[in-house]
Amino acid sequence: MSSLQEAKTRDAADPLGKWRQHFDLPEGVTYLDGNSLGPLPQKAKAVMQDAVERQWGHDLIRSWNSNDWIGAPQRIGGKIAGLIGAAAGEVIVADSVSVNIFKLLTALAKTRPDATHIISETGNFPTDVHVAAGAAEMLGLKLKLLPRDEITSALADDTAVLLLTHVHYKTGARFDMAGITAAAGAKGIPVIWDLSHSTGAVPLDLPRDGAEYAVGCGYKYLNGGPGAPAFIYAAKDRQEALRAPLQGWMGHRQPFAFEDTYEPAAGLDRMLVGTPSILSMLALEAGVEVMAAADMQAVWQKSQALFDYMAELMAARCPQFQMVSPTDAAERGSHISFAHEHAWPINNALIAHGVIGDFRAPDILRLGLTPLYLGFEDIWKAVDILGRIMDRKEWQKPEYNAAAKVT
Ligand SMILES: *Cc1c(COP(=O)(O)O)cnc(C)c1O
């Protein structure tokens, strides 16, 4: 295995090394789970203190106007838009990814009254398929789940919507967004791209790739905090046709006219439902601002270097793990996954040694490669510790084999 000194030399030459200071990471922890819950940005601490003490504590309800709480969904959406190649007004922050999938899916399915089914991928993230199943049942449609190599050929004139996750949460495999959007578009089928493992992880340009609809997550690579609100993207010329069945007052043309009749707001504002969770919104804004200030091409370059380094170290030191992520960078996101039948206790042993990665059932050890606060030394140390855990069979200890509610 290459030396620790080499890792240190690479870190010293890393132009992104200075970004780590923007995050509050605990001493002695190597954090390889920023793809599941991003760490605390320094900026978010100050923002949260101000939000609680001044805006909520002192300014009270006046803050809806004076601190522009009411404009948070659009304002933060505008900042996320810059990360995905979209224009202001094409992204709005609201609810969770799950709820946003429901809103978009039902709104789009209603525009295709002759369709019979929704298509998604077998093994897609569970919430995506569960929400799609519920929406399909409500709309009288079937949900077809297909392996990824059968999806394009299954697209038909009576397909209502295609729902895909751009970067797979387990393997990191990335779909060809432009190719699939074009294939679906040729049959008039709208595609919803779930960008949960893409935004802030890989360079994105949705308009370039022809993508018209997407949802994305705030608490992963955007470092927006636990349970941060999610976002919806819809191309400008597609927004007026969207009518989601969740007709809340925040999506009304004039919420404060308090009218009995629902009239959708202009543009994406209609995708809002209830009162936004302002504290979470403001924490998300801090995370998005940090991400938006970084050079995404440099982030992606370093992600690839970290990936190659980890793959090389793992092959040398821990060959009993089978890498399941694509080796071609154009075909993956920013995490690296390994299969091992004892991945659950192994991950618990790693966490006990300060290396936080995660486990995805049934047998995947998933490690997030987040270039703004991880360096080559972190990767070296993680593999070194994993190697020692395997040598000593330390993962066999009973405490590492106990079940947990959240994995
Ligand atoms: C993380 C993730 C979600 C999360 O959905 P929530 O409603 O925010 O819990 C959804 N889809 C994918 C693909 C994810 O990776």
Side-chain angles (χ1 to χ4, degrees):
M1 169 160 150
S2 81
S3 71
L4 174 59
Q5 190 48 50
E6 184 195 320
K8 289 186 174 181
T9 306
R10 292 184 76 170
D11 281 339
D14 173 15
L16 291 180
K18 61 178 189 296
W19 280 88
R20 192 184 187 114
Q21 71 197 36
H22 294 291
F23 296 90
D24 186 1
L25 287 155
E27 270 307 304
V29 163
T30 302
Y31 197 57
L32 296 171
D33 214 358
N35 55 317
S36 201
L37 173 65
L40 172 62
Q42 301 287 6
K43 187 170 196 167
K45 290 195 281 186
V47 165
M48 290 314 287
Q49 188 167 10
D50 179 67
V52 170
E53 293 180 1
R54 181 181 64 86
Q55 300 188 35
W56 180 14
H58 181 270
D59 295 355
L60 291 162
I61 200 167
R62 293 170 287 190
S63 283
W64 285 106
N65 291 308
S66 67
N67 291 305
D68 195 29
W69 284 356
I70 198 68
Q74 297 81 357
R75 185 179 72 241
I76 304 165
K79 292 174 186 177
I80 293 173
L83 291 169
I84 64 172
E90 292 189 316
V91 177
I92 198 152
V93 174
D95 305 307
S96 60
V97 177
S98 307
V99 172
N100 289 338
I101 291 172
F102 180 79
K103 291 186 292 188
L104 257 189
L105 200 53
T106 47
L108 289 170
K110 280 199 297 181
T111 65
R112 300 183 48 79
D114 298 329
T116 63
H117 62 273
I118 292 166
I119 295 181
S120 192
E121 187 191 8
T122 317
N124 192 354
F125 191 82
T127 210
D128 297 54
V129 290
H130 299 334
V131 168
E137 193 185 326
M138 191 186 92
L139 296 161
L141 298 171
K142 270 199 192 133
L143 172 63
K144 289 189 188 171
L145 298 181
L146 301 166
R148 64 176 53 198
D149 55 354
E150 290 174 25
I151 289 172
T152 315
S153 56
L155 297 171
D157 293 335
D158 60 342
T159 305
V161 186
L162 173 60
L163 169 67
L164 293 177
T165 297
H166 183 225
V167 171
H168 196 273
Y169 75 101
K170 239 190 243 186
T171 62
R174 193 198 318 179
F175 274 109
D176 168 11
M177 182 184 277
I180 289 178
T181 306
K187 295 203 157 71
I189 305 163
V191 186
I192 300 174
W193 289 104
D194 184 334
L195 305 177
S196 290
H197 283 276
S198 311
T199 319
V202 297
L204 291 168
D205 190 335
L206 271 63
R208 178 202 61 199
D209 290 347
E212 295 176 317
Y213 311 98
V215 297
C217 186
Y219 51 80
K220 292 172 179 161
Y221 293 90
L222 296 183
N223 307 311
F231 67 88
I232 295 184
Y233 157 83
K236 222 169 205 111
D237 60 347
R238 298 296 186 201
Q239 297 173 1
E240 293 306 313
L242 296 173
R243 286 292 297 265
L246 282 173
Q247 300 186 155
W249 71 313
M250 285 292 146
H252 190 277
R253 193 175 57 85
Q254 280 188 297
F256 293 92
F258 295 101
E259 288 164 359
D260 281 348
T261 324
Y262 178 79
E263 267 191 70
L268 265 193
D269 289 9
R270 66 187 54 197
M271 297 309 265
L272 297 177
V273 182
T275 306
S277 32
I278 293 299
L279 297 179
S280 297
M281 285 267 177
L282 298 182
L284 170 64
E285 187 166 29
V288 169
E289 283 178 357
V290 173
M291 200 69 222
D295 172 0
M296 200 56 217
Q297 288 301 334
V299 168
W300 178 232
Q301 287 300 321
K302 184 173 164 188
S303 166
Q304 293 173 54
L306 293 173
F307 184 102
D308 292 343
Y309 189 53
M310 181 144 226
E312 175 199 319
L313 295 182
M314 284 292 286
R317 182 72 176 88
C318 302
Q320 61 274 62
F321 287 80
Q322 188 206 342
M323 192 173 85
V324 297
S325 301
T327 47
D328 181 350
E331 291 176 10
R332 64 164 193 259
S334 196
H335 63 270
I336 185 166
S337 297
F338 298 93
H340 190 291
E341 62 172 322
H342 302 299
W344 168 245
I346 290 168
N347 184 51
N348 289 335
L350 272 173
I351 293 172
H353 286 280
V355 178
I356 304 183
D358 70 19
F359 162 78
R360 284 291 171 262
D363 62 352
I364 299 291
L365 177 66
R366 182 180 70 167
L367 306 170
L369 305 172
T370 44
L372 290 187
Y373 50 85
L374 280 178
F376 295 90
E377 185 175 344
D378 296 308
I379 303 299
W380 192 92
K381 280 187 182 160
V383 176
D384 181 52
I385 289 172
L386 179 58
R388 280 189 269 164
I389 289 169
M390 300 313 293
D391 292 347
R392 300 182 197 142
K393 297 195 168 45
E394 209 185 309
W395 54 268
Q396 292 179 346
K397 287 186 180 175
E399 66 261 39
Y400 299 143
N401 285 269
K405 255 192 195 164
V406 177
T407 66

